[in-house]
Amino acid sequence: MNRFPAGFLWGSATAAYQIEGAVQEDGRTASIWDTFSHTPGKVANGDTGDVAVDHYHRWRDDVRLMADLGLTAYRFSVAWPRVQPTGRGPAVQRGLDFYRGLVDELLAHGITPVVTLYHWDLPQELENAGGWPERDSAYRFAEYAALVGEALGDRVETWGTLNEPWCSAFLGYGSGVHAPGRTDPAAALRAAHHLNLGHGLACSALRGVLPARADIGISLNPSVVRAFTEAPEDLDARRRIDALANRVFTGPLLNGAYPQDLLADTAGVTDWSFVRDGDTEAIHQPLDFIGLNYYTPAVVSAARPGQKGPRLDGHAAGEHSPWPAADDVAFHHAPGELTAMNWPVDPAGLTELLLDFTEQAPGVPLYVTENGAAYEDVLDADGRVHDPDRIRYLHGHLAAVHDAITQGADVRGYFLWSLLDNFEWAYGYTKRFGAVYVDYETQARIPKSSATWYSRVARSGGLPAES
């Protein structure tokens, strides 16, 4: 058995809009995902998060379920429009009370709460004012962060500002397959910068209200980008996608500057004049941890003459690309089996990612804040769900984490995505990532075989040689 370090956090993760429901209760107003999901044609089957898996009313049972599984940590997001409905002004105490109760229940069961302040649910009023492409959204986010920090800072010690800002910027404002559904590459780049700025301002705001013991970080979804061949044009395609997927965030976050090649590559889209003096310094805040979300690598090449076909970048290919100034880059599947998301399974990419960030951010602890897979889960005649494919997936990726640790990566915890089957964004309820099956008609929770397997791993603190 491969042992993990003492104190390693064995967790699961969720997002507010995907699980809470209760979208019009206790003062909550619409987020961009409420609006988007209610727009015909945007989400599979017209699904919405109006009810989701009703966590807002079932949270005590869900915490008990986590405890029964032996989890030692739970990463959840706070719904911005539940706390600050217009994105401005004072907090709604009823909204904060929900999170206060959730945190207290977690602590009572010995489960460490890990808060993510933003998992894509921008208040619709802020989108009406321009959304993330507008600078003011960064300041509003910092104000909101301080409100939540003041409310929960006496009991929560681990804080993440943003989850996957790449998706917020480039899927929300570039390809339009995520809320708010805009398709403007220049707006996507502005959004990326203002998300970065919002992170930096929120870090400062949180440090002004949280106890000194609190840890503050961010969860990114970096792409492990590989060239299809060693040809110079394919290597350059890799460099360009690495800039758009990764260094647009790690540049200012870790080094205090945007990479020059990114600015040059996208000069035909924008002149980057929205970056003002002092912005990159404000973004370049000390980080107490970096969260990394990993599912599958990206394989790219220069597009060949006459090449046509779907864009295999894993991001719900639509009419518009999420990659500004990179229409001549082609994406390919990595070798290996595919999940129900049509994503290749490649655990080695997770080891590569963890070692890369160990080198990029020396001395900064790492967490795997999301990792998991969707499969075609079904109830059998006995009312159980057997998911051996997911068990193999998790075993392979936990082995990859262990490999990174043995090579010097300071990985402090792993958060399985996800605790529960839920609203999977533009895929609606057609994709199941949960370790726990949810019957959407009855809201019954049924732990899958993978939940039982993961529970054994969490309780033992070690990974068996075979899955």
Side-chain angles (χ1 to χ4, degrees):
M1 181 170 290
N2 293 319
R3 294 288 175 186
F4 282 74
F8 189 86
L9 292 181
W10 296 98
S12 64
T14 63
Y17 187 72
Q18 292 182 273
I19 67 168
E20 285 183 3
V23 296
Q24 295 180 336
E25 292 187 34
D26 294 334
R28 185 191 181 280
T29 58
S31 73
I32 54 175
W33 267 98
D34 293 279
T35 302
F36 187 81
S37 66
H38 280 269
T39 302
K42 296 299 186 182
V43 174
N45 299 323
D47 293 339
T48 75
D50 289 0
V51 176
V53 295
D54 198 31
H55 175 72
Y56 192 76
H57 301 113
R58 299 169 186 263
W59 55 274
R60 288 184 177 86
D61 291 339
D62 289 340
V63 173
R64 192 175 305 112
L65 179 58
M66 296 178 220
D68 290 344
L69 293 175
L71 302 187
T72 59
Y74 174 52
R75 175 177 173 254
F76 64 94
S77 76
V78 173
W80 189 347
R82 197 177 293 288
V83 168
Q84 198 185 32
T86 65
R88 296 180 174 83
V92 172
Q93 292 305 312
R94 290 171 295 171
L96 287 172
D97 284 345
F98 168 71
Y99 298 105
R100 291 186 180 105
L102 174 61
V103 168
D104 287 346
E105 192 77 4
L106 291 166
L107 293 172
H109 285 83
I111 300 171
T112 298
V114 177
V115 166
T116 298
L117 287 167
Y118 186 72
H119 200 133
W120 308 351
D121 48 4
L122 185 72
Q124 183 61 44
E125 284 205 22
L126 291 186
E127 175 59 25
N128 294 344
W132 284 111
E134 295 301 319
R135 186 179 184 87
D136 186 61
S137 294
Y139 294 95
R140 302 286 68 76
F141 179 63
E143 177 187 85
Y144 154 71
L147 292 174
V148 182
E150 288 173 344
L152 301 181
D154 61 337
R155 59 199 92 181
V156 175
E157 297 186 3
T158 307
W159 294 79
T161 54
L162 305 172
N163 179 78
E164 299 186 350
W166 186 89
C167 294
S168 296
F170 294 101
L171 300 183
Y173 295 93
S175 67
V177 298
H178 277 195
R182 290 161 61 180
T183 55
D184 180 346
L189 291 167
R190 291 199 309 272
H193 174 63
H194 295 138
L195 284 155
N196 282 335
L197 181 60
H199 157 80
L201 296 174
C203 285
S204 297
L206 287 170
R207 290 196 170 98
V209 300
L210 294 178
R213 67 179 183 275
D215 289 336
I216 302 170
I218 187 171
S219 287
L220 304 173
N221 61 317
S223 286
V224 176
V225 189
R226 298 170 180 158
F228 189 59
T229 75
E230 293 299 305
E233 60 269 25
D234 289 356
L235 293 174
D236 190 61
R238 181 199 176 279
R239 176 198 61 76
R240 291 163 62 194
I241 296 303
D242 178 60
L244 287 168
N246 301 328
R247 291 182 287 121
V248 67
F249 300 106
T250 58
L253 287 170
L254 302 181
N255 304 313
Y258 285 101
Q260 288 300 311
D261 63 325
L262 170 69
L263 305 185
D265 289 343
T266 57
V269 175
T270 178
D271 61 6
W272 290 81
S273 59
F274 48 81
V275 180
R276 299 184 184 176
D277 289 345
D279 279 5
T280 52
E281 291 82 0
I283 297 166
H284 188 208
Q285 295 288 320
L287 292 171
D288 299 309
F289 71 90
I290 298 172
L292 300 174
N293 299 353
Y294 173 82
Y295 294 94
T296 191
V299 179
V300 300
S301 72
R304 308 310 192 225
Q307 185 173 22
K308 294 182 179 180
R311 187 179 61 251
L312 299 174
D313 62 1
H315 299 298
E319 182 180 347
H320 300 271
S321 171
W323 307 101
D327 288 341
D328 55 347
V329 173
F331 288 78
H332 309 265
H333 268 153
E337 64 176 286
L338 302 176
T339 71
M341 295 291 290
N342 205 34
W343 294 346
V345 178
D346 189 334
L350 181 52
T351 304
E352 182 180 336
L353 184 66
L354 292 166
L355 293 176
D356 178 51
F357 271 79
T358 297
E359 183 176 336
Q360 285 195 62
V364 180
L366 305 175
Y367 291 92
V368 178
T369 40
E370 287 185 25
N371 176 243
Y375 289 103
E376 301 295 339
D377 302 316
V378 294
L379 289 171
D380 67 13
D382 296 325
R384 299 176 180 176
V385 179
H386 298 288
D387 54 343
D389 290 341
R390 183 175 288 105
I391 292 174
R392 284 195 300 272
Y393 182 100
L394 296 176
H395 187 278
H397 286 79
L398 283 170
V401 175
H402 190 270
D403 286 348
I405 292 172
T406 61
Q407 295 181 60
D410 182 10
V411 187
R412 302 285 180 89
Y414 174 92
F415 293 82
L416 183 154
W417 187 269
S418 178
L419 175 67
L420 303 162
D421 291 337
N422 56 47
F423 176 83
E424 186 50 42
W425 307 115
Y427 295 96
Y429 297 99
T430 66
K431 305 297 182 185
R432 292 180 178 269
F433 275 88
V436 176
Y437 184 92
V438 177
D439 182 325
Y440 297 125
E441 293 295 322
T442 66
Q443 296 294 349
R445 273 76 160 138
I446 303 167
K448 304 172 189 177
S449 297
S450 59
T452 304
W453 179 89
Y454 186 59
S455 177
R456 288 198 297 267
V457 173
R459 291 182 188 279
S460 67
L463 185 67
E466 301 291 337
S467 60

